[in-house]
Amino acid sequence: MDNQRQPSSAPSFPSPRPPRAAAFFDLDKTVIAKSSALAFSRPLYRGGLINRRAVLKSAYAQFVFLAGGADHDQMEKMREYLSSLCRGWNVQLVREIVAETLYDLIDPLIYDEAASLIEEHHAAGRDVVIVSSSGSELVEPIGEMLGADHVIATRMAEVDGCYTGEIDFYAYAGNKAVAIRALAEIEGYDLEQSYAYSDSATDLPLLEAVGRPYAVNPDRALRREAQAREWPVLVFDRPVQLKQRSSSLRVSSRPVLAAAAVGAAATAAGLVWYAARRRNTSA
């Protein structure tokens, strides 16, 4: 009998995870009915961070934003105003004010149609990502409330626990597309099979980055583009409190919020930061 050793069978390795799809949602006028940044002007006033003149100016900016959609120049002026306004603010105090007033201010503004879409995407096994030019201090807890898996938002520079007035990353226009491509590389998303929703023509780079773009409550410029490209147009007009609807929005019992730098893929836009909230999975 031949005592020669027989070759053993090749070791088996798990198959690589197939690409997944994701759904990317702009926040203001897409998921909620107002500007998230401007909605907090009164609580910030009561907290002693801004004066009455700033509250009135924020109210006017909110009107411009809602009336016809702020164009690129208006958004740039708004960014400059808000970043200079918060110079010297204590970061922890801002987070506390947001946490105390979040549900009273934001919950009544969430579109029922957007909440249903988030539920549908999760039911289909897709991650949901909120992508907003508002600050991470506002967007992270809103994303948590909505059960989002990840958040991409503007991040203000901080020194010794206070804002400097400078911006580390501005999640606006083309930067949104850079950020979602970097996140897709990390998470293994197939962008061609992914969805994106926005109301503004400034988000064309975001919408162009996915295979399934949707215009939601579009401004005039985005409506023209959507018609020319034959993109679906959705109308969301039913703000409703989450507690008043039969909601299955996922809220983790052990949320993990972490800020992480997205690597070399995002160097063209500087440091891209995102807050990741991973779903709890059974072992």
Side-chain angles (χ1 to χ4, degrees):
M1 184 176 179
D2 188 359
N3 292 324
Q4 192 175 21
R5 290 183 64 184
Q6 298 297 316
S8 59
S9 59
S12 60
F13 297 100
S15 301
R17 186 174 64 179
R20 300 179 293 145
F24 300 93
F25 286 82
D26 174 47
L27 183 60
D28 301 343
K29 292 177 68 177
T30 302
V31 174
I32 65 174
K34 286 187 179 181
S35 161
S36 51
L38 299 176
F40 285 92
S41 59
R42 291 189 181 278
L44 293 173
Y45 167 72
R46 291 195 295 268
L49 294 178
I50 61 176
N51 57 29
R52 186 176 295 276
R53 181 173 178 271
V55 173
L56 294 174
K57 191 168 183 178
S58 295
Y60 174 73
Q62 184 77 262
F63 170 77
V64 170
F65 182 81
L66 293 174
D71 60 21
H72 176 78
D73 290 341
Q74 289 170 323
M75 286 294 292
E76 282 298 307
K77 289 178 181 178
M78 194 180 301
R79 175 190 65 82
E80 292 172 5
Y81 169 67
L82 292 175
S83 60
S84 63
L85 184 67
C86 74
R87 184 180 296 115
W89 287 2
N90 181 278
V91 176
Q92 184 57 36
L93 176 58
V94 172
R95 291 186 180 277
E96 290 172 359
I97 290 173
V98 170
E100 290 170 0
T101 58
L102 176 68
Y103 278 86
D104 289 340
L105 286 177
I106 301 300
D107 193 13
L109 302 177
I110 295 170
Y111 285 122
D112 187 39
E113 300 93 336
S116 295
L117 263 179
I118 290 172
E119 292 170 347
E120 290 171 13
H121 282 298
H122 274 153
R126 304 182 193 103
D127 280 3
V128 169
V129 184
I130 303 297
V131 188
S132 174
S133 59
S134 292
S136 59
E137 293 77 13
L138 310 181
V139 183
E140 287 175 11
I142 293 174
E144 183 75 18
M145 182 170 66
L146 293 166
D149 301 280
H150 300 280
V151 163
I152 294 170
T154 293
R155 186 164 293 274
M156 303 296 295
E158 304 172 16
V159 173
D160 297 329
C162 295
Y163 296 118
T164 67
E166 302 298 320
I167 295 178
D168 278 340
F169 174 69
Y170 188 26
Y172 175 69
N175 283 358
K176 286 188 176 182
V178 172
I180 71 164
R181 289 191 180 102
L183 182 60
E185 186 174 343
I186 292 170
E187 293 294 326
Y189 298 146
D190 180 352
L191 290 180
E192 188 58 33
Q193 298 299 318
S194 293
Y195 299 71
Y197 303 86
S198 178
D199 70 292
S200 174
T202 61
D203 279 342
L204 277 171
L206 169 69
L207 296 169
E208 292 168 341
V210 302
R212 298 173 180 179
Y214 287 79
V216 178
N217 299 337
D219 58 26
R220 288 186 293 272
L222 180 57
R223 184 175 293 277
R224 286 195 300 269
E225 288 290 335
Q227 290 172 344
R229 302 180 192 220
E230 298 183 341
W231 290 347
V233 174
L234 305 178
V235 176
F236 293 173
D237 59 4
R238 297 197 308 271
V240 63
Q241 288 184 301
L242 295 182
K243 63 186 178 183
Q244 292 180 352
R245 66 190 300 276
S246 178
S247 176
S248 61
L249 289 175
R250 249 184 0 225
V251 178
S252 171
S253 60
R254 294 187 298 108
V256 180
L257 287 175
V262 177
T267 54
L271 290 176
V272 177
W273 294 82
Y274 70 91
R277 176 171 115 39
R278 297 193 178 278
R279 295 191 293 264
N280 293 323
T281 57
S282 57

